[in-house]
Amino acid sequence: MDRTQEYIDSTSLSYRKKLGQYFTPDDMVDIIMDKIEGYPCDRVLENSCGTGNFLKRVRDRYPEAHIDACDIDPGVLKVAKARVPDVNYKCQDFL
């Protein structure tokens, strides 16, 4: 089981709805990452990082990029930090 599914299974739907959480499916991450292929990237801001799915893919593609990420939910940040530790994380509401 992947980390996102583990998080979903460990939290209530009402909690996730309250925070407006949506976890982008892997095939959609693939499409988006394909769209940015070839663009230079030295700095990234992920404003709702969730469990770090995008962060992992960005880090793999751009290993030298400086990445800032935030999320309002400390639970998903814990998962993201375990998945991609070398990111500057903040627990805050981006809006």
Side-chain angles (χ1 to χ4, degrees), residues 14-50:
S14 62
Y15 177 77
R16 294 189 315 272
K17 280 186 172 186
K18 179 179 128 186
L19 295 177
Q21 291 180 336
Y22 172 79
F23 299 98
T24 309
D26 288 340
D27 58 340
M28 182 59 69
V29 174
D30 292 339
I31 291 168
I32 293 168
M33 292 303 293
D34 287 346
K35 296 282 185 191
I36 66 170
E37 182 69 38
Y39 284 91
C41 181
D42 61 350
R43 191 165 184 94
V44 175
L45 171 62
E46 168 60 286
N47 62 350
S48 297
C49 69

Side-chain angles (χ1 to χ4, degrees), residues 7 11 15-16 19 21 23 49-50 70-78 90-93:
Y7 172 80
T11 57
Y15 177 77
R16 294 189 315 272
L19 295 177
Q21 291 180 336
F23 299 98
C49 69
C70 63
D71 202 285
I72 195 170
D73 181 3
V76 294
L77 282 177
K78 183 177 178 181
K90 288 194 178 200
C91 186
Q92 67 182 46
D93 186 347

Side-chain angles (χ1 to χ4, degrees), residues 46-64:
E46 168 60 286
N47 62 350
S48 297
C49 69
T51 57
N53 200 16
F54 274 110
L55 294 174
K56 174 74 171 112
R57 298 289 296 284
V58 169
R59 174 54 72 219
D60 290 347
R61 184 170 293 175
Y62 303 104
E64 301 301 319

